[in-house]
Amino acid sequence: MNSELNAFLLGMVGVPLVLMGLIVAVYGGETGGILAVIASRTPMLLSGTNDFSSYSGGFAANIIISFWAMLLSLVFGCLLGIGMIAQNRPLRLFSSFVMNVLRNSPWLVVLYAMLYLLPFELRLFGATIYLSPLVKAVFGLALPVTANIAEVFRGGVEAIASGQWESARALGYRRLQILRHVVLPQALPLMTPNLMTTYAMLFIGTSLVVVTGTTDVLSVARTVIASDGEHVATGIYIYVLFLFFVFCFPIAILTRWLERYVRG
């Protein structure tokens, strides 16, 4: 744990200093003014509002999108993973085909596809359901991540020795019972580091949702730049980079520690 703690402290101190150095190198004597602009615009960049009265935009929107996209991906990824290890050959081949199509699809293309394929509203049982750009962004990110999680699921299950399956069959367990009660409890710790890495990758990918019209942090950043002038663009984008780093770097360090813990 000491090595991960040292890396965490080094990163959380070193990277902000490097980013601050970049701002100083770019702006020189104007650094103080740029930092004042960044400080005044921080509430908007974090929440989409000037007074934190709402958390539906800005960096909070990226977190919300990543959470729901990961939740959907976990559900559909596990189902797809079960299909990939099924004994039924057609189901196994179909699941593998779907996984490969989704995994090799560019995220930006999938986001654009969801933007135009999903309607703006649905009528179900007389009720109208509006699909906002945020909802479309969630589905657009969830699809390719589903493939990654399915592959993680398959790898975790196959990492368990085949003797576990055979022993459980000898006790009269059916296949799904073996998977639920015997294999998954052992496979889950093996999957967790990869799942965390997948979430970090997904969160970084939320920077692409700006193309859907979602008021994420990059969309808000563009609004700030349009309002305060192009000269603040470099400082604003460096600050956005800092926000992504502060959120994702602890996940990376925790993932490294979990990998060592599982192996050790």
Side-chain angles (χ1 to χ4, degrees), residues 57-239:
F59 197 67
N62 293 77
I63 297 175
I64 293 170
I65 290 170
S66 69
F67 173 80
W68 286 111
M70 189 66 181
L71 187 61
L72 286 176
S73 299
L74 284 170
V75 173
F76 294 117
C78 288
L79 293 176
L80 188 59
I82 291 173
M84 291 170 62
I85 62 173
Q87 290 182 315
N88 184 285
R89 179 177 171 79
L91 176 59
R92 189 170 65 250
L93 291 176
F94 176 75
S95 299
S96 297
F97 173 77
V98 171
M99 185 277 295
N100 279 294
V101 169
L102 293 178
R103 188 174 63 174
N104 293 288
S105 298
W107 290 26
L108 193 59
V109 174
V110 178
L111 280 169
Y112 272 120
M114 291 299 102
L115 180 62
Y116 292 105
L117 288 176
L118 294 178
F120 289 100
E121 63 180 38
L122 291 173
R123 293 191 63 84
L124 294 174
F125 307 108
T128 301
I129 302 174
Y130 294 96
L131 300 180
S132 66
L134 187 146
V135 173
K136 295 182 179 183
V138 168
F139 281 100
L141 290 176
L143 286 177
V145 176
T146 292
N148 289 312
I149 291 179
E151 188 65 14
V152 169
F153 182 90
R154 182 197 62 79
V157 169
E158 293 184 351
I160 304 303
S162 59
Q164 300 282 340
W165 291 87
E166 295 168 1
S167 299
R169 285 195 193 98
L171 294 174
Y173 283 87
R174 294 190 296 272
R175 185 173 178 81
L176 287 179
Q177 289 178 320
I178 298 172
L179 183 65
R180 178 183 175 185
H181 297 291
V182 178
V183 174
L184 282 182
Q186 299 177 72
L188 189 58
L190 302 177
M191 298 179 195
T192 302
N194 289 329
L195 291 175
M196 292 177 63
T197 300
T198 301
Y199 176 71
M201 177 181 65
L202 166 63
F203 186 79
I204 293 172
T206 61
S207 60
L208 299 174
V209 303
V210 64
V211 302
T212 66
T214 305
T215 54
D216 71 311
V217 67
L218 283 180
S219 177
V220 174
R222 289 165 60 178
T223 302
V224 170
I225 292 168
S227 173
D228 294 348
E230 292 289 335
H231 68 287
V232 304
T234 301
I236 293 294
Y237 283 125
I238 289 176
Y239 183 60

Side-chain angles (χ1 to χ4, degrees), residues 1-19 242 245-246 249-250 253 256:
M1 187 64 181
N2 287 336
S3 61
E4 283 78 17
L5 181 59
N6 292 335
F8 175 77
L9 294 176
L10 181 62
M12 295 303 290
V13 174
V15 171
L17 289 177
V18 170
L19 295 179
F242 169 73
F245 171 80
V246 167
F249 183 65
I253 295 298
R256 286 172 53 184

